[in-house]
Amino acid sequence: MDRQMILSRSSVMGVRGLQGFVGSTCPHICTVVNFKELAEHHRSKYPGCTPTIVVDAMCCLRYWYTPESWICGGQWREYFSALRDFVKTFTAVGIKLIFFFDGMVEQDKRDEWVKRRLKNNREISRIFHYIKSHKEQPGRNMFFIPSGLAVFTRFALKTLGQETLCSLQEADYEVASYGLQHNCLGILGEDTDYLIYDTCPYFSISELCLESLDTVMLCREKLCESLGLRVADLPLLACLLGNDIIPEGMFESFRYKCLSSYTSVKENFDKKGNIILAVSDHISKVLHLYQGERKLEELLPLGPNKALFYKGMASYLLPGQKSPWFFQKPKGVITLDKQVISMSSDPESREEVPMCSDPESKQEVPMCSDPEPRQEVPMCTGPESRQEVPMCSDPEPRQEVPMCTGPESRQEVPTCTGPEPRQEVPTCTGPESRQEVPRQEVSMCTDSEPRQEVPRQEVPMCTGPQSGQEVLIWTDPESRQEILCTGHESKQEVPICTDPISKQEDSMCTHPEINQKLPVATDFEFKLEALMCTNPEIKQEDPTNVGPEIKQQVTMVSDTEILKIARTHHVQAESYLVYNIMSSGEIECSNTLEDELDQALPSQAFIYRPIRQRVYSLLLEDCQDVASTCPAVKEWFVYPGNPLRHPDLVRPLQMTVPGGTPSLKILWLNQEPEMQVRRLDTLLACFNLSSSREELQAVESPFQALCCLLIYLFVQVDTLCLEDLHAFIAQALCLQGKSTSQLVNLQPDYINPRAVQLGSLLVRGLTTLVLVNSACGFPWKMSDFMPWNIFDGKLFHQKYLQSEKGYAVEVLLEQNRSRLTKFHNLKAVVCKACMKENRRITGRAHWGSHHAGRWGRQGSGYHRTGSGYSRSSQGQPWRDQGPGSRQYEHDQWRRY
């Protein structure tokens, strides 16, 4: 895949404008490193400790998806092969990978999530316009990842034996925290937030060359040198520039005021680059004067966004870290609008914080608060010099440096604020002088003299006002007077801890003399109350909670035992959406390749909604009120015409299970052999296919799940015809006998927009099967509906085009007699089950003109009742129903 395209796509993640600034304005921040060399150095420094890289999987999906075809629904077998090669390459050099996936969208980032989904909708519209005009797949510049890629990547990695975790909040915080706590070699991803977190080194996935294991390390310490900042200032810079929590427009006028008073504007830098330099200059030369003396709301135009701003700042504080920008009152708290809020993630301030347990060993991992045995960190070196520039240095042996504050005195302790003065440190260069970053000899850790505070006048910076020039600070909200600063020479240094290496480490990989423990986090799997050091001082309903912690929330399900099991499956990436439904009652589904102008096929969000409604009924059984109704689940599902201003409120739909609906405790905990039958009955009831149980049981694996899904689809959507059924079954049978190389060489004659949508529709159905199977206690093996076993996009497209042209079944099955028998058996199962639901599957040649009206989306509204058909929502086109306040209770999309 084109790396520049990946870089441009990923630049919207994290801090606004920072990715481009690093790439064009300050390229010396990037250093070429080799993972094999880093791993060898790590092993020599920490014998017996496996070098580990934490992978932000969501950032890597585009890099991993290397198949040429992406439009037809996904080349899943090729993709699985690419993942296997990726894992093997790192395993061969002794590097362990830990993969993190986003488990849910935080409320503070919902607006940003919506913004990206709406942007994706516009891209999808352009994709379908191109397909209709050219009948071919668009170029790589319009690449859109196949539906369900993130969901199935989890299971692919677990199949490959990799440790895969699903977050309980946005994954970047948990990735940064895990890397810090477990002495990891670094973080692999593509998100500038990892430059802001004070954690282990950050490596770029877009620059990774898998053959050589070379990539680029982005050095936050060198970024700070270029900007004249400390590492502890980076969260403040990130919030002033805008990130996934703070909207970019919130401080737009403030940034332009900084730019207008900035006297060192570089003509060869772009506007965003100069803004970043100006804001950084304002922080270092103005705000530093009042650090620890005045609150940020007195120095910045926070207004009504004060709580959100503080929350954005605190979101970068990892367990055990504090920010010098939080105005410290006694006992480490500050007051916002008469509400006491802790501004520290320091676990020492809490009475009881469980030890962090290694998810693999299940043993307590005491964390070190003695900074002497430091984590190995790659050296930052300048592109123009061969001289090694350490990212940080060790103090004298056995010299103890507390983390910002002492636990008893609560006084600030001066520690290192920057690297030692260098003889030659490259400064930021313009785009025209950018050169290829040379390979540097990277050392993981050095012992050196105690580091001293770097005088402000000696800190290498990209630009900055000359000494004595007036710099405007934001108008004081109290006195409404403008405060002026006359240069940084008069500044009083505020001693803070910004040494990125004086961090807690996993004692399993550090020196034996460490005997001081610092608890930093709760167990990943079994602590319901929190994942990241819950702060008991913050009440759950506190709207100005600014901590990054996950608090014990009021959940939809009150049974703690069941909730604990659901949480464990969620964290271990063994289920899909189940814990989200049971805990917060809120789920989301991203974009699908759907043609908003095609009125013949409903959106997958509506087609599979009745299944989800029955799952809600199953999962939320214990939250019914006296009226025997469950609360609505909030669905943030993307479909054409949905502005995503509010979630759809979807109520559970009662289902009928033979013998009665079993409880979750029976489904999840009862290990009796006969319970597997009850689990399967419950699964089929979610699809409303209990009457087809016998037919489905006669089908061999892995086609049981596929037939279940096809029956449901053809009963639900009348615009699916016999030719579609032939294509679906033929591609699944032919896939079993094809190698990955054969699939790579397969080329459909042309691209059909309807086939594109059908491919995505089937894959979304497979993700729905994952949800139902998880909720019902896993009656089927997950491998039975993993797409690399039963679906290939190009193969389906080929069969669709052949079937549409009227090719005989023998041609679809490539003249294979054994497949012919299986084909007719599977077709008979689907057709017979559909006939039980009064749905006769006919060929397209038998359609009359009335089909376009009856089965079109606009105003169709057909749904199944107990004794036939009835109309609902007459005259209410499904596309035009305004989402948000409406509540869905009945199976009103049963027939389209």
Side-chain angles (χ1 to χ4, degrees):
M1 181 180 301
D2 186 87
R3 290 183 177 180
Q4 187 61 40
M5 184 205 68
I6 299 178
L7 194 63
S8 63
R9 291 271 189 157
S10 63
S11 63
V12 300
M13 301 178 65
V15 185
R16 301 299 178 260
L18 188 57
Q19 184 81 53
F21 175 81
V22 169
S24 62
T25 307
C26 293
H28 67 278
I29 293 171
C30 305
T31 304
V32 175
V33 295
N34 181 270
F35 279 128
K36 184 178 180 180
E37 296 173 3
L38 297 181
E40 290 173 353
H41 199 103
H42 188 276
R43 277 189 292 269
S44 65
K45 184 70 175 180
Y46 301 115
C49 181
T50 303
T52 301
I53 294 177
V54 196
V55 183
D56 186 338
M58 302 300 290
C59 294
C60 300
L61 294 177
R62 294 179 180 274
Y63 175 88
W64 288 333
Y65 192 85
T66 57
E68 180 182 346
S69 173
W70 48 269
I71 196 72
C72 300
Q75 301 310 111
W76 295 97
R77 195 163 286 185
E78 295 176 52
Y79 179 65
F80 187 87
S81 179
L83 285 177
R84 183 172 52 226
D85 292 342
F86 181 87
V87 170
K88 280 184 177 180
T89 303
F90 282 91
T91 303
V93 296
I95 295 178
K96 179 181 179 181
L97 301 174
I98 305 289
F99 297 89
F100 274 83
F101 287 81
D102 280 332
M104 55 186 64
V105 177
E106 294 182 34
Q107 291 304 315
D108 296 319
K109 298 188 177 184
R110 179 63 70 185
D111 289 344
E112 183 62 31
W113 185 90
V114 168
K115 181 180 177 181
R116 292 175 183 173
R117 303 291 84 76
L118 295 178
K119 179 183 177 183
N120 289 345
N121 277 343
R122 295 190 291 271
E123 293 179 1
I124 290 173
S125 295
R126 289 194 292 269
I127 288 172
F128 275 99
H129 178 76
Y130 184 94
I131 294 173
K132 294 172 184 177
S133 302
H134 299 84
K135 293 187 176 182
E136 64 181 14
Q137 175 178 281
R140 219 50 174 172
N141 61 317
M142 297 178 71
F143 172 77
F144 199 88
I145 63 172
S147 302
L149 193 68
V151 176
F152 292 118
T153 302
R154 305 179 198 174
F155 294 98
L157 291 169
K158 293 184 76 68
T159 302
L160 294 169
Q162 298 304 294
E163 184 171 349
T164 308
L165 301 173
C166 196
S167 70
L168 293 170
Q169 60 189 108
E170 288 281 333
D172 55 2
Y173 182 87
E174 295 189 22
V175 167
S177 180
Y178 189 98
L180 173 66
Q181 296 170 17
H182 292 82
N183 190 34
C184 290
L185 197 63
I187 293 168
L188 185 61
E190 202 68 34
D191 189 336
T192 48
D193 276 335
Y194 294 125
L195 270 175
I196 307 301
Y197 286 111
D198 192 0
T199 182
C200 59
Y202 162 41
F203 304 105
S204 169
I205 182 66
S206 68
E207 298 297 331
L208 175 64
C209 175
L210 196 59
E211 291 76 17
S212 63
L213 281 179
D214 287 341
T215 190
V216 166
M217 179 184 72
L218 290 86
C219 180
R220 63 181 65 86
E221 283 72 27
K222 297 199 85 174
L223 173 65
C224 288
E225 292 170 12
S226 299
L227 299 177
L229 301 177
R230 311 178 181 113
V231 172
D233 300 331
L234 293 178
L236 176 59
L237 174 66
C239 290
L240 291 176
L241 295 177
N243 54 26
D244 291 346
I245 294 179
I246 308 297
E248 188 175 6
M250 183 180 294
F251 292 102
E252 185 173 8
S253 60
F254 169 78
R255 291 193 296 271
Y256 279 100
K257 278 204 170 186
C258 291
L259 184 62
S260 64
S261 62
Y262 183 54
T263 60
S264 300
V265 173
K266 301 294 184 182
E267 294 182 0
N268 55 339
F269 290 176
D270 60 17
K271 187 175 183 180
K272 286 188 176 181
N274 276 308
I275 286 177
I276 292 176
L277 295 173
V279 174
S280 301
D281 185 74
H282 186 82
I283 293 172
S284 69
K285 298 209 174 115
V286 179
L287 299 187
H288 272 174
L289 287 175
Y290 304 96
Q291 191 179 66
E293 299 177 4
R294 300 181 63 180
K295 299 178 183 179
L296 281 175
E297 58 263 36
E298 298 174 5
L299 304 172
L300 296 171
L302 302 187
N305 302 309
K306 178 172 60 177
L308 180 62
F309 180 80
Y310 277 119
K311 191 174 184 68
M313 287 274 292
S315 69
Y316 290 109
L317 294 181
L318 303 178
Q321 295 179 348
K322 294 181 179 180
S323 172
W325 289 105
F326 292 146
F327 190 83
Q328 298 295 329
K329 289 194 174 184
K331 299 184 180 179
V333 298
I334 72 168
T335 302
L336 294 181
D337 299 329
K338 300 182 180 180
Q339 292 177 325
V340 178
I341 298 173
S342 171
M343 286 299 183
S344 169
S345 61
D346 185 356
E348 289 186 356
S349 64
R350 297 171 174 82
E351 294 182 1
E352 291 183 82
V353 182
M355 298 295 293
C356 175
S357 296
D358 188 336
E360 196 171 75
S361 64
K362 301 292 185 291
Q363 296 176 350
E364 288 191 346
V365 182
M367 306 304 290
C368 169
S369 60
D370 183 347
E372 188 238 342
R374 289 193 173 11
Q375 173 185 336
E376 290 192 32
V377 179
M379 305 276 289
C380 288
T381 53
E384 302 166 6
S385 164
R386 300 293 298 179
Q387 178 182 359
E388 291 189 347
V389 183
M391 289 170 64
C392 67
S393 304
D394 260 350
E396 289 287 345
R398 307 304 303 161
Q399 180 178 354
E400 295 189 5
V401 184
M403 295 285 292
C404 294
T405 62
E408 297 177 359
S409 66
R410 309 298 298 170
Q411 295 178 353
E412 292 193 355
V413 181
T415 60
C416 354
T417 59
E420 295 178 3
R422 296 161 175 73
Q423 295 180 353
E424 181 178 353
V425 179
T427 57
C428 299
T429 57
E432 70 280 354
S433 62
R434 185 177 182 182
Q435 300 176 359
E436 183 177 351
V437 182
R439 170 72 61 80
Q440 306 291 341
E441 181 178 349
V442 179
S443 172
M444 293 296 289
C445 189
T446 61
D447 293 325
S448 60
E449 295 300 318
R451 298 194 301 167
Q452 304 295 327
E453 290 247 338
V454 180
R456 297 302 298 172
Q457 62 268 23
E458 296 180 12
V459 177
M461 305 193 321
C462 296
T463 59
Q466 300 300 318
S467 175
Q469 293 179 331
E470 291 188 349
V471 180
L472 177 66
I473 188 173
W474 191 262
T475 305
D476 189 325
E478 300 291 337
S479 63
R480 309 303 300 168
Q481 296 178 353
E482 292 182 343
I483 304 171
L484 297 178
C485 168
T486 57
H488 62 266
E489 288 156 339
S490 62
K491 292 179 63 176
Q492 300 294 322
E493 287 290 337
V494 180
I496 59 173
C497 172
T498 59
D499 184 353
I501 309 305
S502 55
K503 299 182 176 76
Q504 312 91 318
E505 289 190 353
D506 187 338
S507 67
M508 294 185 298
C509 303
T510 53
H511 301 288
E513 61 264 32
I514 300 173
N515 53 23
Q516 191 173 1
K517 296 182 178 181
L518 177 63
V520 295
T522 58
D523 186 278
F524 259 97
E525 299 171 7
F526 301 111
K527 300 294 182 184
L528 279 172
E529 62 274 10
L531 176 70
M532 296 294 177
C533 299
T534 305
N535 189 342
E537 297 160 338
I538 302 177
K539 295 183 180 180
Q540 188 228 342
E541 67 273 13
D542 186 357
T544 57
N545 166 28
V546 297
E549 306 88 353
I550 294 179
K551 299 165 293 303
Q552 185 171 1
Q553 59 185 4
V554 177
T555 59
M556 300 281 282
V557 175
S558 59
D559 190 326
T560 56
E561 182 182 15
I562 287 298
L563 198 61
K564 183 176 181 180
I565 296 171
R567 183 182 185 276
T568 299
H569 286 309
H570 174 92
V571 171
Q572 294 178 345
E574 295 173 348
S575 65
Y576 173 57
L577 295 182
V578 171
Y579 181 70
N580 307 63
I581 296 166
M582 300 178 71
S583 58
S584 64
E586 189 167 12
I587 62 173
E588 54 275 323
C589 180
S590 188
N591 305 79
T592 305
L593 283 178
E594 296 176 333
D595 183 7
E596 63 180 351
L597 300 180
D598 180 3
Q599 299 298 305
L601 286 173
S603 170
Q604 63 87 21
F606 292 109
I607 292 176
Y608 298 116
R609 176 172 278 168
I611 301 176
R612 298 193 301 273
Q613 289 179 279
R614 298 185 186 100
V615 171
Y616 301 158
S617 175
L618 179 67
L619 297 178
L620 305 178
E621 59 176 355
D622 71 340
C623 62
Q624 296 182 357
D625 55 26
V626 291
S628 297
T629 59
C630 290
V633 174
K634 298 176 182 178
E635 287 190 352
W636 294 90
F637 275 59
V638 181
Y639 52 84
N642 184 4
L644 293 172
R645 296 190 186 97
H646 307 284
D648 293 340
L649 303 180
V650 182
R651 291 199 176 276
L653 182 67
Q654 293 299 319
M655 60 181 174
T656 303
V657 182
T661 304
S663 67
L664 291 180
K665 284 191 174 181
I666 292 177
L667 288 173
W668 293 5
L669 299 177
N670 193 322
Q671 300 302 318
E672 298 296 329
E674 60 270 16
M675 274 311 302
Q676 201 67 358
V677 176
R678 299 290 307 278
R679 294 185 182 102
L680 180 57
D681 286 341
T682 308
L683 181 146
L684 294 178
C686 289
F687 284 86
N688 201 24
L689 296 178
S690 298
S691 61
S692 303
R693 186 178 186 279
E694 291 184 8
E695 290 85 349
L696 287 171
Q697 273 192 314
V699 178
E700 62 181 356
S701 176
F703 303 112
Q704 263 188 345
L706 177 65
C707 283
C708 174
L709 184 57
L710 290 177
I711 294 169
Y712 178 83
L713 280 175
F714 278 79
V715 169
Q716 286 286 322
V717 186
D718 280 348
T719 50
L720 294 177
C721 62
L722 196 61
E723 288 83 358
D724 301 328
L725 179 61
H726 287 177
F728 279 126
I729 296 177
Q731 71 84 28
L733 291 172
C734 292
L735 179 62
Q736 309 308 311
K738 292 192 180 295
S739 65
T740 302
S741 60
Q742 287 176 310
L743 295 171
V744 171
N745 296 325
L746 190 65
Q747 294 297 332
D749 294 336
Y750 63 93
I751 299 299
N752 180 289
R754 185 172 184 272
V756 168
Q757 187 160 340
L758 288 181
S760 296
L761 178 61
L762 185 79
V763 173
R764 284 298 187 195
L766 296 177
T767 64
T768 304
L769 265 169
V770 175
L771 165 63
V772 178
N773 200 51
S774 306
C776 297
F778 306 98
W780 280 337
K781 296 184 298 182
M782 284 290 195
S783 60
D784 286 351
F785 36 90
M786 292 298 108
W788 48 86
N789 290 329
I790 56 175
F791 179 79
D792 180 86
K794 285 194 299 184
L795 185 60
F796 168 71
H797 217 91
Q798 182 190 65
K799 303 304 177 186
Y800 177 89
L801 296 178
Q802 291 175 347
S803 182
E804 185 183 46
K805 293 175 181 177
Y807 283 26
V809 172
E810 291 78 7
V811 177
L812 268 61
L813 298 175
E814 301 169 3
Q815 307 299 333
N816 188 303
R817 286 186 172 274
S818 63
R819 293 174 189 165
L820 185 61
T821 303
K822 293 179 180 178
F823 175 90
H824 287 299
N825 289 339
L826 296 178
K827 177 183 175 181
V829 168
V830 174
C831 291
K832 182 178 180 181
C834 288
M835 285 300 294
K836 290 182 178 180
E837 300 293 324
N838 294 326
R839 166 71 159 103
R840 182 170 177 266
I841 304 175
T842 61
R844 191 173 286 111
H846 294 86
W847 287 3
S849 59
H850 67 283
H851 283 78
R854 174 187 171 189
W855 292 331
R857 290 176 177 178
Q858 302 293 333
S860 59
Y862 275 94
H863 72 281
R864 174 63 56 88
T865 63
S867 58
Y869 302 102
S870 67
R871 283 188 179 269
S872 67
S873 305
Q874 186 68 277
Q876 297 291 326
W878 73 270
R879 287 192 185 278
D880 300 329
Q881 294 174 356
S885 59
R886 65 182 185 271
Q887 296 190 3
Y888 301 101
E889 299 180 4
H890 303 297
D891 196 354
Q892 55 181 307
W893 296 274
R894 183 51 197 243
R895 294 279 285 199
Y896 291 94

